[in-house]
Amino acid sequence: MEARRRSSTKPIQSLKPTKTIPLEDHAKASDALPLPLYITNAVFFTLFFSVVYFLLSRWREKIRTSTPLHVVNFSEIAAIFALVASFIYLLGFFGIDFVQSLILRPSADVWNSEDDEEENEVLLRKEDARKVPCGQALDCSLPPLPPSAPIVNAQKVFDEKHVTVTTEEDEEIIKSVVAGTTPSYSLESKLGDCKRAAAIRREALQRLTGKSLSGLPLDGFDYESILGQCCEMPVGYVQIPVGIAGPLLLNGKEYSVPMATTEGCLVASANRGCKAIHLSGGATSVLLKDGMTRAPVVRFGTAKRAADLKLYLEDPDNSETLAVVFNRSSRFARLQGIKCAIAGKNLYLRFSCSTGDAMGMNMVSKGVQNVLDFLQTDFPDMDVIGISGNYCSDKKPAAVNWIEGRGKSVVCEAIIKGDLVRKVLKTSVESLVELNMLKNLTGSAMAGALGGFNAHASNIVTAVYIATGQDPAQNVESSHCITMMEAINDGKDLHVSVTMPSIEVGTVGGGTQLASQSACLNLLGVKGASKESPGANSRVLASIVAGAVLAGELSLMSALAAGQLVRSHMKYNRSSKDVSKASS
């Protein structure tokens, strides 16, 4: 790990040593008096209440004798000054910065140096010469600095390479993070260099925990691209291999499907399914529904008032007004409908809307907030408990998603020739149909499955999601799938289909803008937003996910029917290589 300002591809130019003040040596409020803190506090507390009592007594006496209050003697003037001084101290006791601003000059700060030396002013101007802030995949590397006298660097061995603390300033920052003086989360904003912030945070973490991060890479990643949108407080990145299954022939087009996984046999199995589908003429998919949902929960004083709002929202005469209010949130968001459910005096409002090529959670949430604000006028007694009431339902297995759908609802089918079932899949049509009925249908019913009437849809969904920058947690509802197999053409051929009612994907926003994930989307031809038809790219991606699941289901079920599962995993999912020696 190298904590430095410049990119790892360029040589490091050492900064000239400047006046360095340790960050932890801040002045304290208790420095106002050369006494221990508890004695100082006792003195000022006693002084404050004593002068208050004295002044109140004097003023009461003046009122009794009709003496003007503004006529004061020396003792009263001294008491007033003591009151002001003790009040300022006690106020500062609860806000140290206030005391410091009155008593002490601000200490020199490494982040906002105002050194009058001309050389340091030039350095600061060069540090602030970047035209844009870190973030949004912009290049935040600093402009070249003039060569200057090198600094002796401290060497620490934590990684495969020597870890170098580039400057004395970096070492001071690391110490301040370890001491808790500088919050770790603020490094990016204070330094203006995301890579350097990650390196400093990583070194501080290793010192705090005493644990090495030698296996976690730091270099080779664009930390600016994740700032403010993908990950906070990064210290490196995890490497996940990406394999390619395919070509998958779907709706007349071929797709090479990227899958990020560490499970052996998974890509090979999906690839075999793609081969069987391709040789049989390809698969066909149909998009049944496209609508992201969000369901706030609101409360009324009575169940009758909750029912009044339910009737209002479900009245067709109000749908146009509600749509206009909702659609203000985005040029892509379009309200499709509102489904309501009552539980006592609580009302759950499940909004559904199209979201273009975005997955759309933030988009639909903004639209829902607009409608709630609008409803507050006619229903002032409505209490919004939460913008999400779990009737959506996001990242949890739920029957409402299985029945009503969420995101993209897709069905994908293929007819596999009988001879290909025998030659490629190494089993028979009869065996596949019987196994599917007893495993995916009856077995899942016996287990009380909710949307889990399949062999391993979540395997494929998660691998494709990670590769293409989707939210991996949404594999919970996105993997809802029922796999159907039926013998056709007098039992000679196999009809196989997967029905997936809640595939939640997007091709813009979130992790889709990262370089690796963007490359995988580009491989599929669905990178970014569709210029011809908004939402077209995300719908194609959902169809590809369903097609890949179809291939995975076909191959795994065949392996189970032929008794090949254990043998194939022993061959492809067991390494004979000593990984511990290889990593060292």
Side-chain angles (χ1 to χ4, degrees), residues 217 223 253 327 349 423:
Y223 292 92
K253 293 186 63 176
N327 296 345
L349 322 173
K423 294 178 182 178

Side-chain angles (χ1 to χ4, degrees), residues 109-184:
D109 191 7
V110 72
W111 311 115
N112 300 301
S113 178
E114 297 179 355
D115 201 316
D116 293 331
E117 297 177 14
E118 180 180 357
E119 182 178 13
N120 288 344
E121 290 180 353
V122 172
L123 179 59
L124 285 175
R125 285 197 297 270
K126 290 186 177 181
E127 287 182 342
D128 294 335
R130 287 176 279 106
K131 303 299 182 182
V132 292
C134 288
Q136 305 295 331
L138 298 176
D139 184 10
C140 290
S141 58
L142 293 174
L145 297 176
S148 56
I151 295 176
V152 178
N153 296 331
Q155 300 287 336
K156 295 189 179 295
V157 180
F158 278 106
D159 210 332
E160 293 86 348
K161 300 181 293 185
H162 287 292
V163 178
T164 305
V165 177
T166 307
T167 65
E168 291 180 357
E169 183 185 16
D170 287 347
E171 182 63 28
E172 291 296 331
I173 298 170
I174 292 171
K175 289 180 180 178
S176 71
V177 173
V178 172
T181 307
T182 300
S184 179

Side-chain angles (χ1 to χ4, degrees), residues 206-274:
Q206 292 183 131
R207 295 186 188 183
L208 279 169
T209 63
K211 306 295 184 181
S212 171
L213 296 176
S214 61
L216 187 70
L218 174 69
D219 295 326
F221 188 81
D222 182 11
Y223 292 92
E224 283 77 19
S225 66
I226 65 173
L227 181 65
Q229 55 186 341
C230 289
C231 181
E232 299 76 36
M233 297 190 287
V235 294
Y237 59 96
V238 174
Q239 296 169 310
I240 301 179
V242 177
I244 297 297
L248 171 66
L249 184 57
L250 178 65
N251 296 331
K253 293 186 63 176
E254 291 185 348
Y255 298 96
S256 295
V257 183
M259 299 174 64
T261 182
T262 56
E263 180 182 349
C265 282
L266 182 59
V267 178
S269 179
N271 190 66
R272 182 173 74 152
C274 290

Side-chain angles (χ1 to χ4, degrees), residues 351-426:
F351 291 76
S352 178
C353 80
S354 59
T355 57
D357 282 304
M359 186 271 288
M361 285 297 300
N362 293 333
M363 194 182 299
V364 66
S365 296
K366 289 190 292 184
V368 168
Q369 188 62 57
N370 287 347
V371 174
L372 292 177
D373 294 340
F374 172 78
L375 293 174
Q376 207 78 55
T377 303
D378 293 329
F379 296 88
D381 54 336
M382 179 181 71
D383 184 14
V384 179
I385 304 301
I387 191 69
S388 174
N390 272 9
Y391 189 50
C392 312
S393 174
D394 187 41
K395 300 172 184 175
K396 291 166 282 292
V400 68
N401 292 336
W402 177 240
I403 298 170
E404 297 290 335
R406 188 171 195 255
K408 276 74 173 170
S409 298
V410 182
V411 59
C412 187
E413 64 178 348
I415 297 176
I416 310 300
K417 303 294 184 181
D419 59 336
L420 292 174
V421 172
R422 292 186 295 273
K423 294 178 182 178
V424 177
L425 302 177
K426 311 298 182 183

